[in-house]
Amino acid sequence: YRRRSSIEMATGDGKITAVVFGASGSVGQAVCRALANLKPYGHIISINRSRKLDWMESLSIKATQVVLSREDFQDLKKIRQVTAKVCKDHGATHAFSSLGIGTKTGSITKEQHRAVDVETNRAFALGCSDSKLVTSMVFLSSVSADPNANENGSGTAGGSRYLRVKGESEEAVKAAGIRNCRIIRPAMIKGSQNTPCILECMEPCCWYACCLFACLPSKFHSIDVDELGVAMGIAGIEEAAESPGNLNIEYDKIVGILSLRSKYIR
């Protein structure tokens, strides 16, 4: 397979083929739906664990599902090999990952957390890199992710161990050798199945209280899951063209990307 540019796509009609990891989650589903509604994309490939996703059949563009057994999904070499083959077979040039343990991270060990968030994403990113075709990867992380945070602290969202694992996952993806890596760092994601409803209801009160005592940095503002999906889809093309290399994208930048949606929506 010869290397293709981000403009000469494998769909044959100048459209982008994208591979998605973590499509079964709320953000992954939002990403797939967003890609289907963005003009540059023509084919979505999801790599799933153990089952097909019924809703993908209703997307408005071509969608291919590659299903790995639960056993294969625990085999990092297998994930890397399958990802590389899928990208080569379908000519995927753009990759998206929202894979991660979404709930109850405080009740698992740091080794269990790393096994999914760090090592599984590393295998996916390395597979994309091995294909020699993927030039852009958009990766979902977390606001304040830090690979140097205390690994012995709390594993719940926002805790030091949680942020440590998220930071390590960012480093793993960036080290895979993909030309452009876009690290998306949202705070609370409204509408996500992993965000408790009570937190969404309390957010206006918390926001008001924070403003009474101090100015809350904008990077901690919440974002709707569907808006996040659109931003990730656009970041894969717009940000790669404007700012090649690795780039962290937090709330203000996400809002800026969303202002470009009229340029890309079908």
Side-chain angles (χ1 to χ4, degrees), residues 142-188:
S142 169
V143 66
S144 301
D146 180 2
N148 298 310
N150 179 12
E151 65 177 2
N152 296 314
S154 172
T156 57
S160 65
R161 192 194 79 197
Y162 179 91
L163 298 177
R164 169 72 174 253
V165 171
K166 290 297 182 183
E168 289 177 358
S169 67
E170 291 181 0
E171 295 304 308
V173 167
K174 291 188 290 186
I178 299 170
R179 186 186 309 169
N180 302 304
C181 285
R182 300 299 176 243
I183 309 298
I184 309 296
R185 289 177 154 189
M188 187 175 75

Side-chain angles (χ1 to χ4, degrees), residues 32-162:
C32 290
R33 294 192 186 281
L35 297 180
N37 290 317
L38 294 173
K39 291 184 287 187
Y41 296 95
H43 185 190
I44 301 170
I45 308 154
S46 67
I47 298 178
N48 308 340
R49 182 181 65 178
S50 74
R51 64 186 177 92
K52 286 192 172 184
L53 306 171
D54 293 340
W55 55 265
M56 284 199 72
E57 303 297 329
S58 64
L59 294 178
S60 58
I61 64 173
K62 182 180 179 182
T64 301
Q65 299 189 62
V66 177
V67 178
L68 293 177
S69 67
R70 291 184 179 276
E71 293 74 18
D72 284 345
F73 213 82
Q74 294 176 341
D75 185 335
L76 300 178
K77 290 184 179 179
K78 185 70 173 181
I79 291 174
R80 180 173 181 174
Q81 291 167 356
V82 168
T83 300
K85 185 177 188 302
V86 164
C87 292
K88 289 179 180 179
D89 288 349
H90 296 279
T93 56
H94 289 58
F96 297 84
S97 178
S98 59
L99 183 87
I101 298 177
T103 59
K104 300 180 180 179
T105 51
S107 63
I108 60 175
T109 67
K110 57 189 175 186
E111 289 77 17
Q112 290 171 322
H113 199 176
R114 282 183 173 123
V116 176
D117 283 49
V118 180
E119 299 307 327
T120 306
N121 277 303
R122 188 198 309 274
F124 173 69
L126 287 171
C128 291
S129 181
D130 291 345
S131 74
K132 307 300 182 184
L133 293 175
V134 175
T135 59
S136 176
M137 181 166 182
V138 181
F139 179 67
L140 180 67
S141 182
S142 169
V143 66
S144 301
D146 180 2
N148 298 310
N150 179 12
E151 65 177 2
N152 296 314
S154 172
T156 57
S160 65
R161 192 194 79 197
Y162 179 91

Side-chain angles (χ1 to χ4, degrees), residues 210-226:
C210 287
C211 288
L212 287 177
F213 295 100
C215 182
L216 185 70
S218 60
K219 70 178 183 178
F220 294 110
H221 290 199
S222 63
I223 185 167
D224 180 79
V225 66
D226 292 323

